[in-house]
Amino acid sequence: LDKTNQFGETVLHRAAESNNIGCIKSVLSLFPESQRLQVLNRRNAYGETVWDKMDATTRNTISEWLSEE
């Protein structure tokens, strides 16, 4: 899960870019709850976080889901 491509992106960055909520939740679920915010704030080579890769609707949905956990 921590491996990166040539742009410093993890699988979670790529899932976030797709805005596929189910996919993002699935990848996030592989991390302990205590690490989920940390991985969402991980930056790629361009300084973009996982949050930055999501559109506003997806970001809000994931944020709500995390607060329910």
Side-chain angles (χ1 to χ4, degrees):
L1 291 174
D2 288 329
K3 291 195 181 239
T4 59
N5 64 14
Q6 68 270 31
F7 306 110
E9 295 177 321
T10 63
V11 66
L12 190 54
H13 282 93
R14 302 302 296 159
E17 190 168 36
S18 75
N19 288 298
N20 182 319
I21 292 167
C23 185
I24 296 166
K25 286 181 178 180
S26 293
V27 175
L28 278 173
S29 294
L30 298 172
F31 290 93
E33 285 183 40
S34 62
Q35 293 180 11
R36 292 178 186 170
L37 285 177
Q38 180 181 354
V39 297
L40 285 164
N41 288 310
R42 184 169 180 178
R43 294 186 181 277
N44 65 17
Y46 301 102
E48 300 167 309
T49 66
V50 175
W51 290 115
D52 293 332
K53 294 291 208 171
M54 298 178 208
D55 65 25
T57 302
T58 303
R59 206 168 25 253
N60 289 338
T61 301
I62 295 300
S63 182
E64 288 174 12
W65 176 71
L66 288 171
S67 68
E68 295 170 0
E69 293 276 299

